[in-house]
Structure formats: C-alpha cells, structure tokens
Amino acid sequence: MNITIIGTGFVGVVTAAVYASFGHQVIGLDVDEQKISSLKKSQVPFYEPGLEELLKEQQAHHNLSFTTDYQTAIKDAEIIFVTVGTPSAPDGQADLRFVFASVESLAPHLQKQAIVVIKSTVPPGTLDKVEELIHSHTETAFYTAAVPEFLREGSAVADTLHPDRIVLGATNEQVFKKLEELHRPLQAPMIRVKPESAQMAKYAANAYLATRITFINQIADLCEKNGANVEEVVVAISPDKRIGAHYWYPGFGYGGSCFPKDVKELAAYSRAIGESDNLFNKVNDLNQDRIPKLLDNFEKKIGGWENKQVAVLGLSFKPNTDDMRESPATLVIPILLSKGASVTSFDPMADWQRFLRLEKMEKNHQQSETLKQAVKDADVIIALVEWPEIIGFDFAETKTTKQQWFIDARNQFSPTIIKKIGYHYLGLGRPS
Ligand SMILES: NC(=O)c1ccc[n+]([C@@H]2O[C@H](COP(=O)([O-])OP(=O)(O)OC[C@H]3O[C@@H](n4cnc5c(N)ncnc54)[C@H](O)[C@@H]3O)[C@@H](O)[C@H]2O)c1
C-alpha cells in the first residue's frame, strides 16, 4: 500500500517506520524543514529507544522517505494518517488548528477513494469538520476514519509493534477492511467502533490512567497524616481482581505531552457540551496544585529552600525519553529558584537548554554532565525520575559529612538504605 503520514513528531515517525517495516511504501511529511532534513539522514530529532535503527533499516530498504511537499506525499497515497500535534488551547479545549491546516493542504491532492485517518487525539465531532473541509477543496470521492494512538513515549516502537488493541473508528465496510488489512501483521485485537467512540476511547483511556495516579496520590497524602504507608496500602489492595497491581505510582503527579493536555481537554470538552460539574476538572486541578503543595510541605521539613543547594535528578517526564513537556522538573526547578535555592540537575538524555529554547523560558540553572557532579555539595537531593542511572547510583559514594536531605519523589528507594547512608529520607505517604 502507499501510505502517507502527516506530522513527523513522536507518533508520526514511529508509525511511519512501523508501517514501512510491513513492506508498505511510506512517505512522512512535515512542515518543519529542519525535522525533515534530519529524518532524511535517518537522524531522529528526539530520543526514543530503537527508533533510529528501525528508521535506518527501512530507509535502506527504500520503503520510507520524507518530504515537505504535500503534492508529492498525497497524490499516490491510499491511506493518509494525520498525526500532527493537538495542544490545549487557552480555554483548555483541543487546539485543532494543525489538524485543519494539514487537512486543507492535503485535500486538493487526494486521489479517488483515499482514506484520511485522523490519528491525532481529537474530540468527537472533529471528523465531520474534517470532511466538510476536504469537500470544500476537492470534488474527489474520499473516506475518513479515526484511529487513535495509544503508544507510550520511551517504549513507542515496542508499543506500536505489540499493541494491546487497535481501535478502528469508521462507518464504511470498505474502510474497515482496508484498515484491518494494514494492521493485520500486528496480530492484535481489532475493535470496530463509530469514529466518535474511537475518539472518546482515547480520552477515556488517558483520563482513567491520570485519575488512577491522582487517586493514589490522594491516598498517599492521607497516609502522610495518619502514619499509614501507601506502599503497604497498594500491596493490600492489589490482589482484588477489580483493582489489580498495575499502575500505582504515588509521586509528584502525572506529566508529559499527553495526560495533562488530554485531561484538560476532556474537562473543557465536557464543559462545552453542558457537563460543567465533571470529574476531569477536579483531577486536572488536583494535579496542577500537587507540585507547589508538595514543595511547600517539604520546605517545612527541611527548614526552608532559601540558600539551599538542591540537586534535581531527572528532567524528562519519565525514563527512556528526552521529552520534557510538562515534566515535574519544569515545575519544580522554577519554584525552587524563586524561593532562593540554587539548583543543579542531571538527566541521562534530556537537555534543559533545548527545553528553554523550545518553550522560550528563562529559568536557567546548572545542568551537570554526571550525576556525581550534580549531587556534589547538595543540601537536598530530589530524585524525580526513575531512570535506571538514578535508581542504580551508589549515593553512599557522594555522601558528605554535612546534613543532607533525600527526597524520593517516586518512592523508588529503600528508606532504610538511604537513612543508613546518612541522609534524612523523605518519601511520599510512607514513614520518613
Ligand atoms: N506523544 C505521545 O506519546 C502520543 C501518544 C498518543 C497520542 N498522541 C497524540 O498524537 C498527536 C501527535 O503527537 P506528537 O507527540 O507526535 O506531536 P509532536 O508535537 O511531536 O509532532 C507533531 C508534528 O506535526 C507537525 N505539523 C504541525 N502542523 C503541520 C502541518 N500543517 N502539516 C504537516 N505537519 C505539521 C509538527 O511540525 C510536528 O513535527 C497528538 O494529537 C497527541 O495528543 C501522542
């Protein structure tokens, strides 16, 4: 099949490389010339394990190419996937500007019976607007579908090659058949639904996972006050089959490029259709307030942030990615600096300077090359992200004789071991 992917960001590049690996002819298109020029040289402009190798392999087989030209990319395409960004607008709703711009650009070049698939996360109702827009630019007959993406950054290639399910949102038998044929090599369950259900399923999945994180954070806060240990509570509730042992992460709240925006968008979408009093508003508020609240609590315990040397370990929003969009560090570091602390940080992959350039932020600090350098002379260590390099580090090696605090933001360390080394240990919802 001839397949085109519009928007070669995280989702787009991974999707393009995986479809190419099935033997299809895939073209990736982006308006970002720099990105396309890197991809042409098999250089992935972000860190995603295994992606560069897959890209190189498919380009060597001549299955995968990249362009900035819509006509080249669309004229022979049987299926076009739109994977452009859908950030939150100022009112919280999904900003669909990039989706509509890409659809307007592709419409004049569509071949007969092509299928335009929206893979970006968009609210129900978007497909009607997409169809209207295409009709206003072409007489050619076309189809549309909604196939939401469920990959996770950090394991995107494996997630795309081994998905739990493929959700196909369409209204036409031919479209279902063609999309099933494309995804058959994945040997995953394929679920046929209405486009609106596919779009709701994506929001429902992310909102549920974000709510689960918020839920256990609330329980951790109660444990903090009553002497219970949240880690023991998790062990005690997990055998209940209705609850399960997976995905319990008490911590500094959820971050990243998807959960915060998708919860915000679902809350705004609910309000826009008349459901003002909704759970997602509350989940979003609790998560937004979490880091300032935790830093205030820790401030009392350590006797103030002012003039403290703080080592922040982990800048990305989770391990195995260099993505810093809405990562805890991007909230923690500016607060610490505004309270008079000096900050050094370490991350195996993420680059604070690059983030400042992308986000046009000014809050600077010293990012160290090594973890050892970052924690040297620290009064407080905050282990924010569970990178193996951070969890596996021997903190005894760098312990000095001065009083030092160790904040374990993801409850990843043994309080007994950290205390034995000589730190004052502070976890979340577990005894210090
Ligand atoms: N990143 C994830 O983990 C993830 C997971 C599941 C779903 N999603 C959803 O997938 C979508 C894409 O996310 P992402 O993280 O890959 O975004 P991204 O920001 O990494 O990439 C989006 C790309 O679209 C390009 N673009 C913008 N306008 C364009 C246009 N008119 N024509 C062509 N290209 C254009 C941008 O230049 C950029 O390269 C979003 O809706 C997101 O919510 C993301």
Side-chain angles (χ1 to χ4, degrees):
M1 284 183 211
N2 289 332
I3 295 169
T4 290
I5 311 289
I6 308 220
T8 54
F10 280 89
V11 172
V13 181
V14 177
T15 309
V18 167
Y19 289 152
S21 74
F22 300 160
H24 300 298
Q25 278 304 321
V26 181
I27 302 180
L29 175 144
D30 205 290
V31 286
D32 184 334
E33 288 184 9
Q34 231 179 330
K35 212 173 248 187
I36 290 299
S37 130
S38 307
L39 289 167
K40 278 181 174 171
K41 291 180 259 170
S42 298
Q43 287 163 1
V44 180
F46 49 86
Y47 173 66
E48 184 59 47
L51 184 55
E52 201 143 295
E53 291 80 347
L54 189 62
L55 201 67
K56 276 192 185 132
E57 200 179 286
Q58 296 316 312
Q59 282 174 306
H61 290 153
H62 303 290
N63 284 357
L64 179 57
S65 60
F66 293 95
T67 181
T68 52
D69 180 47
Y70 267 93
Q71 192 188 7
T72 311
I74 304 298
K75 66 180 173 38
D76 297 319
E78 293 159 72
I79 310 181
I80 297 137
F81 286 89
V82 174
T83 58
V84 299
T86 49
S88 299
D91 67 354
Q93 294 206 57
D95 180 350
L96 300 175
R97 180 159 46 120
F98 303 121
V99 172
F100 296 145
S102 62
V103 165
E104 273 194 298
S105 305
L106 70 85
H109 311 292
L110 275 181
Q111 65 154 304
K112 222 169 129 194
Q113 319 265 288
I115 307 172
V116 178
V117 181
I118 305 297
K119 201 174 229 326
S120 301
T121 304
V122 296
T126 304
L127 225 46
D128 297 341
K129 293 182 194 149
V130 164
E131 285 178 8
E132 218 174 281
L133 210 49
I134 300 178
H135 277 305
S136 68
H137 286 83
T138 181
E139 304 273 292
T140 309
F142 64 92
Y143 297 112
T144 58
V147 178
E149 180 54 64
F150 296 95
L151 64 74
R152 295 162 299 172
E153 285 176 22
S155 53
V157 174
D159 287 351
T160 309
L161 286 169
H162 309 285
D164 294 331
R165 78 306 206 182
I166 308 284
V167 177
L168 303 174
T171 51
N172 178 287
E173 181 62 25
Q174 241 174 293
V175 173
F176 276 128
K177 283 200 170 137
K178 187 104 176 171
L179 292 173
E180 282 167 352
E181 186 190 333
L182 171 64
H183 292 100
R184 196 155 297 128
L186 295 171
Q187 297 182 327
M190 288 193 245
I191 303 168
R192 286 184 176 202
V193 293
K194 293 167 69 172
E196 293 80 0
S197 308
Q199 290 153 343
M200 271 312 287
K202 174 63 196 172
Y203 279 115
N206 275 2
Y208 171 74
L209 295 171
T211 303
R212 202 165 154 111
I213 292 171
T214 307
F215 174 86
I216 203 64
N217 283 338
Q218 293 280 286
I219 298 293
D221 287 356
L222 298 181
C223 293
E224 195 79 39
K225 299 222 161 81
N226 62 21
N229 180 338
V230 69
E231 300 301 331
E232 291 180 356
V233 173
V234 165
V235 172
I237 60 175
S238 293
D240 187 325
K241 290 187 185 61
R242 297 166 302 173
I243 297 173
H246 61 285
Y247 219 72
W248 291 125
Y249 296 124
F252 271 39
Y254 57 81
S257 65
C258 290
F259 285 5
K261 124 182 142 54
D262 290 353
V263 173
K264 218 180 287 169
E265 286 174 12
L266 190 55
Y269 173 76
S270 308
R271 291 194 297 272
I273 61 170
E275 296 292 338
S276 297
D277 186 18
N278 65 75
L279 171 69
F280 319 113
N281 284 333
K282 192 66 195 170
V283 171
N284 181 49
D285 290 349
L286 285 168
N287 196 63
Q288 275 188 344
D289 295 345
R290 182 144 189 86
I291 286 178
K293 181 182 155 189
L294 286 176
L295 291 181
D296 275 353
N297 290 348
F298 287 129
E299 181 167 28
K300 287 177 201 122
K301 291 182 182 165
I302 67 165
W305 291 111
E306 200 170 357
N307 298 325
K308 291 274 190 319
Q309 178 67 44
V310 185
V312 172
L313 306 183
L315 295 173
S316 56
F317 82 93
K318 66 171 180 181
N320 294 320
T321 179
D322 59 358
D323 195 346
M324 292 177 62
R325 289 179 281 184
E326 306 231 13
S327 76
T330 63
L331 297 170
V332 166
I333 292 173
I335 294 177
L336 293 178
L337 294 173
S338 72
K339 290 190 175 251
S342 347
V343 177
T344 51
S345 71
F346 167 77
D347 192 285
M349 283 292 164
D351 174 2
W352 186 263
Q353 291 304 326
R354 181 168 174 264
F355 175 76
L356 290 185
R357 281 195 302 276
L358 287 175
E359 301 289 318
K360 300 184 176 61
M361 264 176 64
E362 280 170 6
K363 290 286 180 192
N364 211 347
H365 73 281
Q366 184 63 44
Q367 180 173 351
S368 304
E369 288 284 312
T370 64
L371 197 157
K372 209 168 175 174
Q373 233 171 44
V375 297
K376 183 172 162 281
D377 301 326
D379 299 300
V380 188
I381 293 169
I382 309 183
L384 265 188
V385 184
E386 65 279 28
W387 278 97
E389 289 86 342
I390 296 172
I391 301 207
F393 185 75
D394 180 7
F395 286 92
E397 210 187 299
T398 50
K399 179 77 189 78
T400 64
T401 47
K402 72 172 170 179
Q403 161 157 291
Q404 288 177 295
W405 298 86
F406 191 105
I407 298 179
D408 181 6
R410 298 297 295 267
N411 284 356
Q412 293 287 321
F413 293 84
S414 152
T416 316
I417 293 176
I418 296 295
K419 282 193 275 192
K420 211 160 149 195
I421 297 172
Y423 292 99
H424 297 291
Y425 176 89
L426 294 171
L428 293 183
R430 69 201 315 207
S432 302

